Amino acid sequence: MENIVIQPSERTPEVNFDFVSGRLSIRGEAYPENVSTFFGPVLAALHTYLQTKPDHDVIMDIEMEYFNSSSAKALMNIFQLMDEAVEAGVQAVVRWHYNKDDDIMQEFGEDFSEDLRFLSFEMVEID
Amino acid sequence: MLARSYYQYKQFHDQDGIIFSFSGFISEGILFALGDVLKKQLTSEAADPNKIKRVFSVFVELMQNIIRYSAECIGNIEDVSDKLGWGIVIVGFQDEQFYVSCGNIVSEEKATRLRKHLETLQELGKEELRSYYRGELKEKTENLDKGSNLGLIEIARRSSAPIEFDFLGLDANKVFYCIKSYI
């Protein structure tokens, strides 16, 4: 299936989903004008990809500076899809990158990871 | 007379430590433009980057609440990216703290729900707010643009004191609603 490459804008993050290698990343800021217009296609593509039960490791790197509360919901939906895929037998990991001085992003990482039952959610501190 | 009256207006702003105030219809475009000014101004004043993030976050959630829930709205009301809601938003610095406040008209029904939600939030400490947020985060949502309870919890989490709020009944179905967060 087709990879997703979205360049960052002032209020939307860079999205790079390489479905061939299983390396997925979202980086930057997220407070889009319309959350479902931005995240809807990303969620749909991820869902389709995970349904194919990829036989390679899926590694998702997330490195956010800021996101609003509606984008938090969208991110949670992404992690829930990943969690369900792992339950169904896919090998996947999310790496949550945060700046060591950014207590908000550190807390958010912990908040997201709390409810995930199968997915490995790694906290990665950046110096 | 013109200069005197506008100078009084400026003095009112200076006394309240107002960084900027806006009243009128608010769109996603206005949100972005004012947010950009806010970030640049706070950065140039060398405010703590984590504090800037907190102020910005409260600002965004409050502006989006006005766009979504103001009873005075024009544009395409089905699409949040193309909708305008009337409101007042003020960002300031007073007694060594930043504040973001807003005011807009909401329906009586919305006001009742807001009051209940804000009263609940006022009672919660930092860790309780965090677990409340986590609980709401995992709730399934059908429409990501409709917003959720998360916005006000986010504001409460970023605030250094309980959120202040007030309501003024205007008529049977209209309530002027104000909220102020200190960061």
Side-chain angles (χ1 to χ4, degrees):
Chain A
M1 58 184 290
E2 203 145 324
N3 292 337
I4 293 191
V5 180
I6 303 171
Q7 298 303 323
S9 80
E10 282 161 315
R11 51 194 297 181
T12 55
E14 175 194 344
V15 179
N16 202 326
F17 282 6
D18 183 336
F19 295 123
V20 181
S21 68
R23 290 298 298 261
L24 320 176
S25 66
I26 305 177
R27 295 173 204 273
E29 296 195 71
Y31 57 113
E33 289 186 9
N34 187 318
V35 173
S36 47
T37 306
F38 183 81
F39 281 105
V42 174
L43 274 158
L46 180 66
H47 182 69
T48 308
Y49 165 64
L50 293 172
Q51 289 287 310
T52 65
K53 297 260 181 80
D55 54 8
H56 49 251
D57 288 356
V58 180
I59 301 170
M60 179 183 275
D61 287 292
I62 309 284
E63 189 176 340
M64 302 303 295
E65 282 164 47
Y66 166 73
F67 50 87
N68 67 347
S69 64
S70 338
S71 299
K73 273 283 193 194
L75 288 172
M76 191 71 219
N77 288 357
I78 288 174
F79 302 141
Q80 283 166 340
L81 281 180
M82 296 278 283
D83 198 40
E84 285 159 17
V86 174
E87 186 181 11
V90 176
Q91 294 286 322
V93 58
V94 168
R95 299 192 295 214
W96 181 267
H97 303 260
Y98 63 96
N99 192 294
K100 71 171 175 30
D101 298 320
D102 193 342
D103 53 335
I104 298 178
M105 285 304 136
Q106 181 178 355
E107 273 192 17
F108 270 133
E110 293 162 7
D111 293 343
F112 284 123
S113 67
E114 192 201 51
D115 192 46
L116 304 167
R117 290 173 304 155
F118 306 98
L119 176 67
S120 147
F121 196 97
E122 292 174 11
M123 299 287 289
V124 185
E125 191 179 284
I126 312 165
D127 256 326
Chain B
M1 270 317 279
L2 194 61
R4 178 168 300 276
S5 123
Y6 279 89
Y7 189 63
Q8 279 171 354
Y9 185 65
K10 175 173 163 45
Q11 279 178 318
F12 163 76
H13 280 67
D14 291 346
Q15 278 158 16
D16 273 10
I18 292 173
I19 294 172
F20 68 69
S21 71
F22 180 92
S23 67
F25 280 104
I26 293 172
S27 64
E28 280 289 339
I30 296 276
L31 179 162
F32 177 73
L34 289 180
D36 191 44
V37 168
L38 182 61
K39 265 198 220 167
K40 283 181 178 143
Q41 186 169 349
L42 297 188
T43 306
S44 77
E45 287 167 2
D48 164 23
N50 279 331
K51 185 146 278 193
I52 298 177
K53 271 196 183 180
R54 286 180 160 79
V55 174
F56 185 72
S57 174
V58 169
F59 169 80
V60 169
E61 299 300 333
L62 285 178
M63 292 286 275
Q64 291 191 322
N65 278 349
I66 293 173
I67 298 168
R68 287 187 183 124
Y69 304 123
S70 175
E72 297 172 286
C73 54
I74 55 174
N76 181 358
I77 58 166
E78 295 301 318
D79 179 0
V80 286
S81 57
D82 197 24
K83 185 179 169 190
L84 294 87
W86 199 95
I88 300 171
V89 63
I90 297 173
V91 183
F93 186 77
Q94 212 174 22
D95 304 327
E96 303 302 306
Q97 286 191 100
F98 288 99
Y99 66 89
V100 184
S101 56
C102 74
N104 60 276
I105 293 174
V106 292
S107 67
E108 170 69 33
E109 185 208 352
K110 179 71 189 161
T112 307
R113 271 187 288 141
L114 277 168
R115 184 191 288 275
K116 210 170 146 226
H117 192 198
L118 286 162
E119 281 170 352
T120 308
L121 291 176
Q122 242 181 0
E123 300 300 315
L124 303 180
K126 201 174 171 351
E127 281 309 308
E128 291 165 314
L129 284 171
R130 194 175 183 187
S131 40
Y132 187 16
Y133 187 96
R134 286 178 171 185
E136 288 292 324
L137 192 60
K138 64 188 180 198
E139 287 294 316
K140 294 262 188 226
T141 348
E142 288 305 314
N143 185 343
L144 288 169
D145 288 313
K146 273 276 156 58
S148 62
N149 283 332
L150 274 186
L152 285 177
I153 312 174
E154 167 71 18
I155 295 168
R157 283 184 81 178
R158 303 300 155 228
S159 301
S160 48
I163 302 171
E164 283 180 18
F165 56 89
D166 201 12
F167 294 87
L168 176 69
L170 301 176
D171 63 30
N173 192 36
K174 281 205 180 80
V175 177
F176 188 72
Y177 145 72
C178 283
I179 171 168
K180 188 170 187 178
S181 150
Y182 289 93
I183 302 116

mmCIF file of all heavy atoms in Angstrom, chain A residues 1 3-4 15 20 24 26 34 36-37 40 44 52 85 88 94 108 114 123:
data_model
loop_
_atom_site.group_PDB
_atom_site.id
_atom_site.type_symbol
_atom_site.label_atom_id
_atom_site.label_comp_id
_atom_site.label_asym_id
_atom_site.label_seq_id
_atom_site.Cartn_x
_atom_site.Cartn_y
_atom_site.Cartn_z
ATOM 1 N N MET A 1 0.836 -1.197 0.000
ATOM 2 C CA MET A 1 0.000 0.000 0.000
ATOM 3 C C MET A 1 0.875 1.254 0.000
ATOM 4 O O MET A 1 2.058 1.209 0.314
ATOM 5 C CB MET A 1 -0.952 -0.004 1.204
ATOM 6 C CG MET A 1 -0.279 -0.092 2.570
ATOM 7 S SD MET A 1 -1.471 -0.219 3.901
ATOM 8 C CE MET A 1 -2.206 1.404 3.897
ATOM 9 N N ASN A 3 2.729 4.615 0.829
ATOM 10 C CA ASN A 3 3.257 5.263 2.031
ATOM 11 C C ASN A 3 2.574 6.608 2.257
ATOM 12 O O ASN A 3 2.054 7.202 1.316
ATOM 13 C CB ASN A 3 4.763 5.484 1.890
ATOM 14 C CG ASN A 3 5.518 4.170 1.888
ATOM 15 O OD1 ASN A 3 5.017 3.160 2.407
ATOM 16 N ND2 ASN A 3 6.707 4.174 1.312
ATOM 17 N N ILE A 4 2.650 7.091 3.505
ATOM 18 C CA ILE A 4 2.102 8.420 3.794
ATOM 19 C C ILE A 4 3.264 9.345 4.135
ATOM 20 O O ILE A 4 4.039 9.069 5.045
ATOM 21 C CB ILE A 4 1.122 8.368 4.982
ATOM 22 C CG1 ILE A 4 -0.116 7.571 4.579
ATOM 23 C CG2 ILE A 4 0.734 9.767 5.435
ATOM 24 C CD1 ILE A 4 -1.234 7.681 5.571
ATOM 25 N N VAL A 15 4.306 13.770 9.083
ATOM 26 C CA VAL A 15 3.918 12.364 9.215
ATOM 27 C C VAL A 15 4.661 11.583 8.149
ATOM 28 O O VAL A 15 4.646 11.965 6.977
ATOM 29 C CB VAL A 15 2.397 12.170 9.039
ATOM 30 C CG1 VAL A 15 2.025 10.689 9.165
ATOM 31 C CG2 VAL A 15 1.618 12.988 10.052
ATOM 32 N N VAL A 20 6.433 -0.136 3.905
ATOM 33 C CA VAL A 20 7.286 -1.219 3.396
ATOM 34 C C VAL A 20 8.265 -1.658 4.482
ATOM 35 O O VAL A 20 8.429 -2.845 4.755
ATOM 36 C CB VAL A 20 8.044 -0.766 2.119
ATOM 37 C CG1 VAL A 20 8.912 -1.906 1.597
ATOM 38 C CG2 VAL A 20 7.049 -0.312 1.055
ATOM 39 N N LEU A 24 7.373 4.144 11.133
ATOM 40 C CA LEU A 24 6.337 5.174 11.090
ATOM 41 C C LEU A 24 6.755 6.292 12.050
ATOM 42 O O LEU A 24 7.279 6.007 13.129
ATOM 43 C CB LEU A 24 4.990 4.606 11.551
ATOM 44 C CG LEU A 24 4.614 3.177 11.103
ATOM 45 C CD1 LEU A 24 3.292 2.771 11.749
ATOM 46 C CD2 LEU A 24 4.513 3.084 9.583
ATOM 47 N N ILE A 26 5.701 10.470 13.601
ATOM 48 C CA ILE A 26 4.925 11.715 13.647
ATOM 49 C C ILE A 26 5.738 12.685 14.500
ATOM 50 O O ILE A 26 6.097 12.358 15.637
ATOM 51 C CB ILE A 26 3.528 11.511 14.283
ATOM 52 C CG1 ILE A 26 2.754 10.409 13.548
ATOM 53 C CG2 ILE A 26 2.728 12.811 14.288
ATOM 54 C CD1 ILE A 26 1.387 10.100 14.166
ATOM 55 N N ASN A 34 -8.934 21.409 11.613
ATOM 56 C CA ASN A 34 -9.951 20.375 11.613
ATOM 57 C C ASN A 34 -9.228 19.050 11.857
ATOM 58 O O ASN A 34 -8.518 18.558 10.990
ATOM 59 C CB ASN A 34 -10.644 20.396 10.240
ATOM 60 C CG ASN A 34 -11.829 19.476 10.194
ATOM 61 O OD1 ASN A 34 -11.764 18.350 10.707
ATOM 62 N ND2 ASN A 34 -12.912 19.921 9.601
ATOM 63 N N SER A 36 -10.227 15.944 12.290
ATOM 64 C CA SER A 36 -10.562 14.724 11.539
ATOM 65 C C SER A 36 -10.085 14.801 10.088
ATOM 66 O O SER A 36 -9.721 13.787 9.503
ATOM 67 C CB SER A 36 -12.048 14.400 11.625
ATOM 68 O OG SER A 36 -12.803 15.532 11.374
ATOM 69 N N THR A 37 -10.043 16.012 9.512
ATOM 70 C CA THR A 37 -9.522 16.144 8.158
ATOM 71 C C THR A 37 -8.052 15.761 8.125
ATOM 72 O O THR A 37 -7.577 15.111 7.205
ATOM 73 C CB THR A 37 -9.686 17.597 7.649
ATOM 74 O OG1 THR A 37 -11.043 17.963 7.780
ATOM 75 C CG2 THR A 37 -9.245 17.748 6.210
ATOM 76 N N GLY A 40 -7.833 11.879 10.130
ATOM 77 C CA GLY A 40 -8.702 10.835 9.589
ATOM 78 C C GLY A 40 -7.997 9.922 8.582
ATOM 79 O O GLY A 40 -7.949 8.701 8.767
ATOM 80 N N ALA A 44 -6.965 5.986 8.995
ATOM 81 C CA ALA A 44 -7.528 4.991 8.079
ATOM 82 C C ALA A 44 -6.423 4.157 7.438
ATOM 83 O O ALA A 44 -6.520 2.921 7.352
ATOM 84 C CB ALA A 44 -8.365 5.688 7.006
ATOM 85 N N THR A 52 -3.360 -5.906 7.567
ATOM 86 C CA THR A 52 -2.643 -6.852 6.702
ATOM 87 C C THR A 52 -1.708 -7.740 7.522
ATOM 88 O O THR A 52 -1.003 -8.576 6.960
ATOM 89 C CB THR A 52 -1.796 -6.118 5.632
ATOM 90 O OG1 THR A 52 -0.757 -5.380 6.318
ATOM 91 C CG2 THR A 52 -2.614 -5.156 4.791
ATOM 92 N N ALA A 85 -3.463 -4.258 17.298
ATOM 93 C CA ALA A 85 -2.663 -5.032 16.338
ATOM 94 C C ALA A 85 -1.712 -5.972 17.078
ATOM 95 O O ALA A 85 -1.523 -7.125 16.667
ATOM 96 C CB ALA A 85 -1.889 -4.082 15.430
ATOM 97 N N ALA A 88 -3.390 -8.867 18.277
ATOM 98 C CA ALA A 88 -3.672 -9.792 17.172
ATOM 99 C C ALA A 88 -2.397 -10.451 16.611
ATOM 100 O O ALA A 88 -2.457 -11.130 15.596
ATOM 101 C CB ALA A 88 -4.415 -9.038 16.060
ATOM 102 N N VAL A 94 5.978 1.551 20.196
ATOM 103 C CA VAL A 94 5.919 3.006 20.045
ATOM 104 C C VAL A 94 7.042 3.587 20.891
ATOM 105 O O VAL A 94 7.238 3.187 22.041
ATOM 106 C CB VAL A 94 4.555 3.582 20.514
ATOM 107 C CG1 VAL A 94 4.630 5.108 20.622
ATOM 108 C CG2 VAL A 94 3.442 3.197 19.558
ATOM 109 N N PHE A 108 2.503 13.432 29.255
ATOM 110 C CA PHE A 108 1.577 12.934 28.234
ATOM 111 C C PHE A 108 1.958 11.518 27.810
ATOM 112 O O PHE A 108 1.098 10.669 27.624
ATOM 113 C CB PHE A 108 1.559 13.857 27.010
ATOM 114 C CG PHE A 108 0.535 14.954 27.090
ATOM 115 C CD1 PHE A 108 0.864 16.269 26.787
ATOM 116 C CD2 PHE A 108 -0.778 14.673 27.442
ATOM 117 C CE1 PHE A 108 -0.082 17.283 26.851
ATOM 118 C CE2 PHE A 108 -1.740 15.681 27.503
ATOM 119 C CZ PHE A 108 -1.380 16.989 27.209
ATOM 120 N N GLU A 114 -0.475 4.428 29.846
ATOM 121 C CA GLU A 114 -1.158 3.764 30.967
ATOM 122 C C GLU A 114 -2.224 2.778 30.522
ATOM 123 O O GLU A 114 -2.368 1.704 31.080
ATOM 124 C CB GLU A 114 -1.773 4.808 31.897
ATOM 125 C CG GLU A 114 -2.234 4.196 33.192
ATOM 126 C CD GLU A 114 -3.276 5.050 33.882
ATOM 127 O OE1 GLU A 114 -4.280 5.450 33.230
ATOM 128 O OE2 GLU A 114 -3.097 5.314 35.071
ATOM 129 N N MET A 123 9.568 5.209 26.645
ATOM 130 C CA MET A 123 9.818 6.631 26.853
ATOM 131 C C MET A 123 11.285 6.897 26.531
ATOM 132 O O MET A 123 12.176 6.267 27.107
ATOM 133 C CB MET A 123 9.543 6.996 28.305
ATOM 134 C CG MET A 123 8.104 6.748 28.748
ATOM 135 S SD MET A 123 6.945 7.951 28.063
ATOM 136 C CE MET A 123 7.400 9.421 29.000
#
